[in-house]
Amino acid sequence: VKGPASDQIHDFRDKISEKFEFVAHHKGVHRFCFTNKSPYHETIDFDVHVGHFSYYDEHAKDEHFNPLLEQISKLEEALYNIQFEQHWLEAQTERQAIVNEAMSRRAVYKAFWESTALVGASVLQVYLLRRLFERKLGMSRV
């Protein structure tokens, strides 16, 4: 990062990901330079947030912090509620997974027993039909 007078403000080498902040003390165009030493095509995601400090030399007072501390306590309570809800949802998901697994196992057992009963009934029908026709053929021959 170079300032408007081509002065070096920040320098990174061989970084994959980096986040940094700096305060621009002079107005003007700042330059950002990226180089790619890799033989592959790279995509750069680059975000710049510009904030203005109109009262940079003034110091913060206690009355400036009170609304901020109130908001922080509200955020802390909201975060606790979110974490509690997340924990509850994870526990409920685990219970549902246990119930689903048990029902799946029962469905497999039921299908196995139904298939066994169907095969058994088919074998019994074949046996009874053979026996029935053997008797009829035996009686008609006499």
Side-chain angles (χ1 to χ4, degrees):
V1 178
K2 290 189 176 185
S6 295
D7 53 328
Q8 188 86 16
I9 294 175
H10 222 289
D11 188 16
F12 286 114
R13 303 275 179 191
D14 301 326
K15 299 282 186 178
I16 295 172
S17 175
E18 192 65 41
K19 177 181 178 180
F20 70 94
E21 297 178 7
F22 70 94
V23 176
H25 296 285
H26 305 288
K27 291 182 180 180
V29 176
H30 287 72
R31 290 181 180 87
F32 296 86
C33 178
F34 299 97
T35 58
N36 182 13
K37 295 179 182 177
S38 170
Y40 304 108
H41 175 73
E42 297 287 338
T43 301
I44 296 175
D45 184 14
F46 178 63
D47 294 322
V48 175
H49 174 74
V50 178
H52 297 281
F53 298 105
S54 54
Y55 304 106
Y56 186 73
D57 295 334
E58 288 187 14
H59 297 290
K61 297 177 182 153
D62 287 339
E63 59 265 11
H64 298 137
F65 286 112
N66 288 336
L68 184 63
L69 292 175
E70 288 175 15
Q71 291 298 322
I72 288 173
S73 66
K74 288 179 184 178
L75 284 173
E76 183 180 16
E77 184 178 347
L79 181 61
Y80 175 77
N81 290 335
I82 290 170
Q83 287 175 335
F84 177 78
E85 184 81 16
Q86 185 179 17
H87 178 71
W88 182 79
L89 286 172
E90 286 174 357
Q92 189 177 16
T93 302
E94 288 176 14
R95 286 192 302 267
Q96 287 295 325
I98 291 169
V99 168
N100 286 343
E101 187 177 321
M103 288 183 69
S104 175
R105 197 176 320 117
R106 287 182 193 160
V108 168
Y109 288 150
K110 183 179 182 229
F112 174 75
W113 288 115
E114 284 179 355
S115 299
T116 304
L118 186 61
V119 169
S122 299
V123 169
L124 181 63
Q125 285 177 346
V126 168
Y127 171 74
L128 290 175
L129 285 172
R130 280 190 173 178
R131 202 167 144 207
L132 177 69
F133 283 117
E134 284 177 2
R135 283 188 182 174
K136 283 190 175 182
L137 287 174
M139 287 183 184
S140 64
R141 289 186 186 164
V142 178

